[in-house]
Amino acid sequence: MLAIQGATAASGRLLLARLCSAGCLAARPACGSFVTPQRQRQCGSTPQRGTCCSAAAHPPPVLAAEPPPKKKLAVFVSGGGSNFKAIQAAIAEGSVHGEVAVVVSNAPSCGGAEFARAHGIPVITYPAPKSDPAAGLTAEQLVQQLTQDFHVDFVILAGYLKLIPSQLCRAFRRRILNIHPGLLPSFGGKGYYGIKVHQAVIASGARFSGPTIHFVDEEYDTGPILAQAVVPVYPTDRPEQLAARVLKQEHALYPRCVAALCDNRVTWRADGIPIMWSAE
Ligand code: GRF
């Protein structure tokens, strides 16, 4: 067990925490900093002698009357959209307290965009194809639609191959996530996408690889890392085999990170490193 002080924006109280495999922290707030209905029953108005719940130390908790509204997500896709589908499945089963309000794509007939339409999710095109500038949004229009029309809380890049415009980075500071199929900061940057990442990993002789979830800044693959998962790289691997092994981890890790965002379980260290807290 590792004791961490003051790492939660909400309470600043002492937390008992342990590290999970993806690099997130499982946190147990000190008594009174979080109150569930069950806990309120345990910690009611007649405190027991010798328990932690003296009325003087713990004023009666105030409970929200209803759960907080679901966070609205904009998912950006350029390809098959298997990560988008994994997030959508997690939403459907209730582990992500959010909803996909809109899908953004530079390739409006890609698999991810088709999946969105099949599920009644609107699809907008950004950027417009060079051959037909009227067929898509400008960066300003994109920001306006996401903020004012769709009221988006978080932007989730799921295999989106275009650079994010600086206007969007500014409007959604610390609110844009990306998934990269390698262990950043290695094997990232312009030109490192898709199978090229796995080819480079194998060529390097690295023994481990895996997905990285990171916040997005105005460069390719340089924003603060939120979580990673690790898979072995075997000496006989072909890039496609490694890609499949990494993708399986992507589908587990990305929904967990999106769930943490939607639950406000991501806090920021003073030096700009994000910390993901477990729901436990
Ligand atoms: C994933 O490997 C992801 O890491 C990368 O692009 C790929 C997208 O795959 N950014 P999919 O469209 O989610 O299937």
Side-chain angles (χ1 to χ4, degrees):
M1 290 285 256
L2 160 75
I4 295 193
Q5 193 143 23
T8 163
S11 69
R13 295 174 195 224
L14 180 70
L15 297 173
L16 294 177
R18 63 190 161 74
L19 212 54
C20 85
S21 56
C24 71
L25 290 166
R28 184 164 61 79
C31 179
S33 44
F34 250 0
V35 181
T36 62
Q38 187 185 12
R39 181 158 202 101
Q40 189 194 32
R41 280 196 295 277
Q42 290 166 352
C43 302
S45 55
T46 44
Q48 305 289 306
R49 182 200 280 269
T51 70
C52 64
C53 296
S54 87
H58 300 276
V62 178
L63 290 180
E66 52 191 50
K70 289 182 178 179
K71 293 290 196 299
K72 291 188 188 295
L73 311 174
V75 179
F76 284 45
V77 295
S78 297
S82 67
N83 279 286
F84 167 35
K85 292 170 189 171
I87 291 166
Q88 187 67 13
I91 289 172
E93 63 145 56
S95 55
V96 171
H97 191 62
E99 60 182 303
V100 180
V102 60
V103 161
V104 179
S105 184
N106 60 308
S109 56
C110 72
E114 297 290 3
F115 178 81
R117 286 190 203 94
H119 287 76
I121 299 168
V123 178
I124 57 180
T125 303
Y126 178 83
K130 285 201 176 82
S131 57
D132 187 3
L137 303 175
T138 65
E140 290 76 16
Q141 290 168 334
L142 175 66
V143 171
Q144 181 173 345
Q145 288 219 359
L146 296 188
T147 55
Q148 292 174 28
D149 297 346
F150 292 104
H151 305 287
V152 166
D153 295 297
F154 298 110
V155 170
I156 308 298
L157 308 184
Y160 184 70
L161 295 176
K162 298 288 182 182
L163 193 62
I164 294 301
S166 55
Q167 295 94 323
L168 192 68
C169 290
R170 286 197 296 274
F172 285 87
R173 185 170 175 270
R174 291 184 167 178
R175 292 192 293 149
I176 308 177
L177 278 187
N178 183 43
I179 185 162
H180 181 77
L183 293 173
L184 294 174
S186 297
F187 310 111
K190 195 164 169 54
Y192 281 100
Y193 60 90
I195 206 72
K196 291 174 191 289
V197 175
H198 307 295
Q199 287 167 341
V201 169
I202 291 170
S204 77
R207 297 317 200 253
F208 296 97
S209 188
T212 299
I213 313 290
H214 65 96
F215 285 91
V216 170
D217 59 19
E218 294 178 19
E219 309 292 330
Y220 281 108
D221 302 329
T222 57
I225 292 171
L226 178 64
Q228 295 181 310
V230 175
V231 302
V233 181
Y234 298 119
T236 54
D237 267 345
R238 284 180 286 107
E240 294 75 15
Q241 291 173 302
L242 178 57
R245 201 174 301 128
V246 171
L247 191 63
K248 193 171 172 202
Q249 293 302 317
E250 294 185 29
H251 296 163
L253 186 64
Y254 213 2
R256 288 175 57 197
C257 293
V258 176
L261 268 190
C262 290
D263 292 346
N264 297 320
R265 284 188 284 106
V266 175
T267 59
W268 290 82
R269 229 166 58 183
D271 61 357
I273 299 297
I275 303 171
M276 185 166 79
W277 297 87
S278 159
E280 286 170 25

